[in-house]
PDB file of all heavy atoms in Angstrom:
ATOM      1  N   GLN A  86      -9.284  -0.745  24.386  1.00 80.00           N
ATOM      2  CA  GLN A  86      -8.894   0.607  24.034  1.00 80.00           C
ATOM      3  C   GLN A  86      -8.060   0.645  22.756  1.00 80.00           C
ATOM      4  O   GLN A  86      -8.146   1.591  21.977  1.00 80.00           O
ATOM      5  CB  GLN A  86      -8.100   1.240  25.181  1.00 80.00           C
ATOM      6  CG  GLN A  86      -8.926   1.440  26.446  1.00 80.00           C
ATOM      7  CD  GLN A  86      -8.088   1.962  27.600  1.00 80.00           C
ATOM      8  OE1 GLN A  86      -6.874   2.102  27.491  1.00 80.00           O
ATOM      9  NE2 GLN A  86      -8.753   2.240  28.719  1.00 80.00           N
ATOM     10  N   VAL A  87      -7.236  -0.388  22.558  1.00 81.00           N
ATOM     11  CA  VAL A  87      -6.328  -0.415  21.402  1.00 81.00           C
ATOM     12  C   VAL A  87      -7.047  -0.845  20.134  1.00 81.00           C
ATOM     13  O   VAL A  87      -6.756  -0.339  19.038  1.00 81.00           O
ATOM     14  CB  VAL A  87      -5.135  -1.348  21.688  1.00 81.00           C
ATOM     15  CG1 VAL A  87      -4.287  -1.545  20.426  1.00 81.00           C
ATOM     16  CG2 VAL A  87      -4.284  -0.788  22.811  1.00 81.00           C
ATOM     17  N   ALA A  88      -8.003  -1.765  20.235  1.00 78.00           N
ATOM     18  CA  ALA A  88      -8.649  -2.369  19.067  1.00 78.00           C
ATOM     19  C   ALA A  88      -9.267  -1.359  18.099  1.00 78.00           C
ATOM     20  O   ALA A  88      -9.070  -1.471  16.884  1.00 78.00           O
ATOM     21  CB  ALA A  88      -9.695  -3.388  19.520  1.00 78.00           C
ATOM     22  N   PRO A  89     -10.027  -0.358  18.575  1.00 78.00           N
ATOM     23  CA  PRO A  89     -10.605   0.593  17.614  1.00 78.00           C
ATOM     24  C   PRO A  89      -9.566   1.347  16.795  1.00 78.00           C
ATOM     25  O   PRO A  89      -9.738   1.546  15.594  1.00 78.00           O
ATOM     26  CB  PRO A  89     -11.406   1.545  18.515  1.00 78.00           C
ATOM     27  CG  PRO A  89     -11.683   0.765  19.748  1.00 78.00           C
ATOM     28  CD  PRO A  89     -10.485  -0.083  19.947  1.00 78.00           C
ATOM     29  N   TRP A  90      -8.484   1.748  17.449  1.00 81.00           N
ATOM     30  CA  TRP A  90      -7.438   2.469  16.719  1.00 81.00           C
ATOM     31  C   TRP A  90      -6.643   1.534  15.822  1.00 81.00           C
ATOM     32  O   TRP A  90      -6.123   1.957  14.782  1.00 81.00           O
ATOM     33  CB  TRP A  90      -6.534   3.181  17.719  1.00 81.00           C
ATOM     34  CG  TRP A  90      -7.270   4.241  18.463  1.00 81.00           C
ATOM     35  CD1 TRP A  90      -7.744   4.186  19.741  1.00 81.00           C
ATOM     36  CD2 TRP A  90      -7.681   5.506  17.945  1.00 81.00           C
ATOM     37  NE1 TRP A  90      -8.421   5.333  20.060  1.00 81.00           N
ATOM     38  CE2 TRP A  90      -8.393   6.168  18.976  1.00 81.00           C
ATOM     39  CE3 TRP A  90      -7.527   6.150  16.720  1.00 81.00           C
ATOM     40  CZ2 TRP A  90      -8.941   7.431  18.812  1.00 81.00           C
ATOM     41  CZ3 TRP A  90      -8.073   7.413  16.560  1.00 81.00           C
ATOM     42  CH2 TRP A  90      -8.762   8.040  17.594  1.00 81.00           C
ATOM     43  N   SER A  91      -6.549   0.273  16.212  1.00 85.00           N
ATOM     44  CA  SER A  91      -5.928  -0.707  15.319  1.00 85.00           C
ATOM     45  C   SER A  91      -6.744  -0.861  14.045  1.00 85.00           C
ATOM     46  O   SER A  91      -6.197  -1.029  12.948  1.00 85.00           O
ATOM     47  CB  SER A  91      -5.798  -2.061  16.028  1.00 85.00           C
ATOM     48  OG  SER A  91      -4.917  -1.978  17.115  1.00 85.00           O
ATOM     49  N   ASP A  92      -8.063  -0.796  14.192  1.00 84.00           N
ATOM     50  CA  ASP A  92      -8.947  -0.878  13.029  1.00 84.00           C
ATOM     51  C   ASP A  92      -8.696   0.292  12.085  1.00 84.00           C
ATOM     52  O   ASP A  92      -8.596   0.119  10.867  1.00 84.00           O
ATOM     53  CB  ASP A  92     -10.397  -0.896  13.495  1.00 84.00           C
ATOM     54  CG  ASP A  92     -11.374  -1.103  12.341  1.00 84.00           C
ATOM     55  OD1 ASP A  92     -11.008  -1.795  11.380  1.00 84.00           O
ATOM     56  OD2 ASP A  92     -12.491  -0.569  12.412  1.00 84.00           O
ATOM     57  N   GLY A  93      -8.587   1.500  12.638  1.00 85.00           N
ATOM     58  CA  GLY A  93      -8.321   2.665  11.801  1.00 85.00           C
ATOM     59  C   GLY A  93      -6.965   2.597  11.138  1.00 85.00           C
ATOM     60  O   GLY A  93      -6.816   2.900   9.943  1.00 85.00           O
ATOM     61  N   LEU A  94      -5.944   2.168  11.898  1.00 89.00           N
ATOM     62  CA  LEU A  94      -4.601   2.029  11.333  1.00 89.00           C
ATOM     63  C   LEU A  94      -4.566   0.948  10.268  1.00 89.00           C
ATOM     64  O   LEU A  94      -3.824   1.058   9.276  1.00 89.00           O
ATOM     65  CB  LEU A  94      -3.610   1.703  12.454  1.00 89.00           C
ATOM     66  CG  LEU A  94      -2.130   1.725  12.094  1.00 89.00           C
ATOM     67  CD1 LEU A  94      -1.723   3.076  11.535  1.00 89.00           C
ATOM     68  CD2 LEU A  94      -1.289   1.367  13.309  1.00 89.00           C
ATOM     69  N   CYS A  95      -5.381  -0.079  10.443  1.00 89.00           N
ATOM     70  CA  CYS A  95      -5.470  -1.146   9.440  1.00 89.00           C
ATOM     71  C   CYS A  95      -5.981  -0.606   8.111  1.00 89.00           C
ATOM     72  O   CYS A  95      -5.463  -0.948   7.050  1.00 89.00           O
ATOM     73  CB  CYS A  95      -6.366  -2.266   9.958  1.00 89.00           C
ATOM     74  SG  CYS A  95      -6.594  -3.631   8.805  1.00 89.00           S
ATOM     75  N   HIS A  96      -7.003   0.259   8.158  1.00 91.00           N
ATOM     76  CA  HIS A  96      -7.530   0.857   6.931  1.00 91.00           C
ATOM     77  C   HIS A  96      -6.477   1.703   6.234  1.00 91.00           C
ATOM     78  O   HIS A  96      -6.343   1.676   5.002  1.00 91.00           O
ATOM     79  CB  HIS A  96      -8.755   1.712   7.255  1.00 91.00           C
ATOM     80  CG  HIS A  96     -10.003   0.920   7.476  1.00 91.00           C
ATOM     81  ND1 HIS A  96     -10.245   0.231   8.651  1.00 91.00           N
ATOM     82  CD2 HIS A  96     -11.084   0.700   6.694  1.00 91.00           C
ATOM     83  CE1 HIS A  96     -11.419  -0.384   8.562  1.00 91.00           C
ATOM     84  NE2 HIS A  96     -11.943  -0.115   7.392  1.00 91.00           N
ATOM     85  N   ILE A  97      -5.710   2.456   7.008  1.00 92.00           N
ATOM     86  CA  ILE A  97      -4.638   3.277   6.431  1.00 92.00           C
ATOM     87  C   ILE A  97      -3.568   2.387   5.803  1.00 92.00           C
ATOM     88  O   ILE A  97      -3.063   2.676   4.709  1.00 92.00           O
ATOM     89  CB  ILE A  97      -4.023   4.183   7.510  1.00 92.00           C
ATOM     90  CG1 ILE A  97      -5.058   5.209   7.993  1.00 92.00           C
ATOM     91  CG2 ILE A  97      -2.781   4.897   6.984  1.00 92.00           C
ATOM     92  CD1 ILE A  97      -4.576   6.077   9.126  1.00 92.00           C
ATOM     93  N   ALA A  98      -3.231   1.297   6.476  1.00 91.00           N
ATOM     94  CA  ALA A  98      -2.206   0.387   5.964  1.00 91.00           C
ATOM     95  C   ALA A  98      -2.649  -0.289   4.670  1.00 91.00           C
ATOM     96  O   ALA A  98      -1.857  -0.448   3.734  1.00 91.00           O
ATOM     97  CB  ALA A  98      -1.870  -0.666   7.017  1.00 91.00           C
ATOM     98  N   VAL A  99      -3.913  -0.687   4.604  1.00 92.00           N
ATOM     99  CA  VAL A  99      -4.431  -1.303   3.367  1.00 92.00           C
ATOM    100  C   VAL A  99      -4.345  -0.325   2.203  1.00 92.00           C
ATOM    101  O   VAL A  99      -3.893  -0.665   1.100  1.00 92.00           O
ATOM    102  CB  VAL A  99      -5.878  -1.783   3.576  1.00 92.00           C
ATOM    103  CG1 VAL A  99      -6.500  -2.187   2.241  1.00 92.00           C
ATOM    104  CG2 VAL A  99      -5.930  -2.948   4.552  1.00 92.00           C
ATOM    105  N   SER A 100      -4.768   0.914   2.445  1.00 94.00           N
ATOM    106  CA  SER A 100      -4.699   1.940   1.398  1.00 94.00           C
ATOM    107  C   SER A 100      -3.254   2.187   0.979  1.00 94.00           C
ATOM    108  O   SER A 100      -2.950   2.292  -0.216  1.00 94.00           O
ATOM    109  CB  SER A 100      -5.331   3.244   1.893  1.00 94.00           C
ATOM    110  OG  SER A 100      -6.682   3.056   2.261  1.00 94.00           O
ATOM    111  N   SER A 101      -2.350   2.258   1.961  1.00 93.00           N
ATOM    112  CA  SER A 101      -0.934   2.493   1.659  1.00 93.00           C
ATOM    113  C   SER A 101      -0.356   1.364   0.820  1.00 93.00           C
ATOM    114  O   SER A 101       0.412   1.597  -0.117  1.00 93.00           O
ATOM    115  CB  SER A 101      -0.136   2.637   2.956  1.00 93.00           C
ATOM    116  OG  SER A 101      -0.580   3.741   3.712  1.00 93.00           O
ATOM    117  N   SER A 102      -0.728   0.132   1.145  1.00 91.00           N
ATOM    118  CA  SER A 102      -0.236  -1.016   0.395  1.00 91.00           C
ATOM    119  C   SER A 102      -0.650  -0.934  -1.079  1.00 91.00           C
ATOM    120  O   SER A 102       0.159  -1.155  -1.982  1.00 91.00           O
ATOM    121  CB  SER A 102      -0.755  -2.314   1.014  1.00 91.00           C
ATOM    122  OG  SER A 102      -0.349  -3.436   0.261  1.00 91.00           O
ATOM    123  N   VAL A 103      -1.900  -0.599  -1.306  1.00 94.00           N
ATOM    124  CA  VAL A 103      -2.406  -0.477  -2.684  1.00 94.00           C
ATOM    125  C   VAL A 103      -1.702   0.662  -3.417  1.00 94.00           C
ATOM    126  O   VAL A 103      -1.242   0.504  -4.559  1.00 94.00           O
ATOM    127  CB  VAL A 103      -3.922  -0.246  -2.683  1.00 94.00           C
ATOM    128  CG1 VAL A 103      -4.430   0.028  -4.093  1.00 94.00           C
ATOM    129  CG2 VAL A 103      -4.648  -1.449  -2.099  1.00 94.00           C
ATOM    130  N   PHE A 104      -1.567   1.816  -2.766  1.00 94.00           N
ATOM    131  CA  PHE A 104      -0.949   2.974  -3.405  1.00 94.00           C
ATOM    132  C   PHE A 104       0.544   2.746  -3.664  1.00 94.00           C
ATOM    133  O   PHE A 104       1.078   3.200  -4.677  1.00 94.00           O
ATOM    134  CB  PHE A 104      -1.155   4.222  -2.542  1.00 94.00           C
ATOM    135  CG  PHE A 104      -2.604   4.593  -2.346  1.00 94.00           C
ATOM    136  CD1 PHE A 104      -3.012   5.327  -1.232  1.00 94.00           C
ATOM    137  CD2 PHE A 104      -3.572   4.196  -3.256  1.00 94.00           C
ATOM    138  CE1 PHE A 104      -4.344   5.654  -1.050  1.00 94.00           C
ATOM    139  CE2 PHE A 104      -4.912   4.506  -3.085  1.00 94.00           C
ATOM    140  CZ  PHE A 104      -5.297   5.250  -1.974  1.00 94.00           C
ATOM    141  N   PHE A 105       1.229   2.051  -2.757  1.00 92.00           N
ATOM    142  CA  PHE A 105       2.638   1.726  -2.967  1.00 92.00           C
ATOM    143  C   PHE A 105       2.809   0.824  -4.184  1.00 92.00           C
ATOM    144  O   PHE A 105       3.748   0.986  -4.967  1.00 92.00           O
ATOM    145  CB  PHE A 105       3.232   1.035  -1.732  1.00 92.00           C
ATOM    146  CG  PHE A 105       3.759   1.987  -0.698  1.00 92.00           C
ATOM    147  CD1 PHE A 105       3.410   1.837   0.634  1.00 92.00           C
ATOM    148  CD2 PHE A 105       4.612   3.026  -1.042  1.00 92.00           C
ATOM    149  CE1 PHE A 105       3.891   2.712   1.596  1.00 92.00           C
ATOM    150  CE2 PHE A 105       5.097   3.907  -0.081  1.00 92.00           C
ATOM    151  CZ  PHE A 105       4.740   3.741   1.241  1.00 92.00           C
ATOM    152  N   THR A 106       1.902  -0.132  -4.322  1.00 91.00           N
ATOM    153  CA  THR A 106       1.969  -1.035  -5.470  1.00 91.00           C
ATOM    154  C   THR A 106       1.814  -0.263  -6.783  1.00 91.00           C
ATOM    155  O   THR A 106       2.547  -0.508  -7.756  1.00 91.00           O
ATOM    156  CB  THR A 106       0.877  -2.113  -5.360  1.00 91.00           C
ATOM    157  OG1 THR A 106       1.033  -2.831  -4.138  1.00 91.00           O
ATOM    158  CG2 THR A 106       0.958  -3.083  -6.530  1.00 91.00           C
ATOM    159  N   ILE A 107       0.892   0.676  -6.810  1.00 94.00           N
ATOM    160  CA  ILE A 107       0.702   1.505  -8.007  1.00 94.00           C
ATOM    161  C   ILE A 107       1.940   2.349  -8.273  1.00 94.00           C
ATOM    162  O   ILE A 107       2.401   2.475  -9.424  1.00 94.00           O
ATOM    163  CB  ILE A 107      -0.536   2.401  -7.849  1.00 94.00           C
ATOM    164  CG1 ILE A 107      -1.802   1.554  -7.763  1.00 94.00           C
ATOM    165  CG2 ILE A 107      -0.650   3.379  -9.019  1.00 94.00           C
ATOM    166  CD1 ILE A 107      -3.054   2.360  -7.482  1.00 94.00           C
ATOM    167  N   ALA A 108       2.502   2.947  -7.217  1.00 91.00           N
ATOM    168  CA  ALA A 108       3.664   3.821  -7.370  1.00 91.00           C
ATOM    169  C   ALA A 108       4.869   3.058  -7.926  1.00 91.00           C
ATOM    170  O   ALA A 108       5.556   3.533  -8.835  1.00 91.00           O
ATOM    171  CB  ALA A 108       4.022   4.455  -6.024  1.00 91.00           C
ATOM    172  N   ILE A 109       5.118   1.870  -7.393  1.00 89.00           N
ATOM    173  CA  ILE A 109       6.258   1.080  -7.856  1.00 89.00           C
ATOM    174  C   ILE A 109       6.045   0.622  -9.294  1.00 89.00           C
ATOM    175  O   ILE A 109       6.971   0.628 -10.108  1.00 89.00           O
ATOM    176  CB  ILE A 109       6.473  -0.124  -6.920  1.00 89.00           C
ATOM    177  CG1 ILE A 109       6.945   0.370  -5.551  1.00 89.00           C
ATOM    178  CG2 ILE A 109       7.485  -1.098  -7.512  1.00 89.00           C
ATOM    179  CD1 ILE A 109       7.053  -0.718  -4.526  1.00 89.00           C
TER     180      ILE A 109
END
Side-chain angles (χ1 to χ4, degrees):
Q86 295 175 355
V87 172
W90 295 103
S91 295
D92 185 32
L94 189 57
C95 179
H96 282 77
I97 294 176
V99 170
S100 301
S101 298
S102 177
V103 174
F104 298 155
F105 273 131
T106 302
I107 295 175
I109 292 174

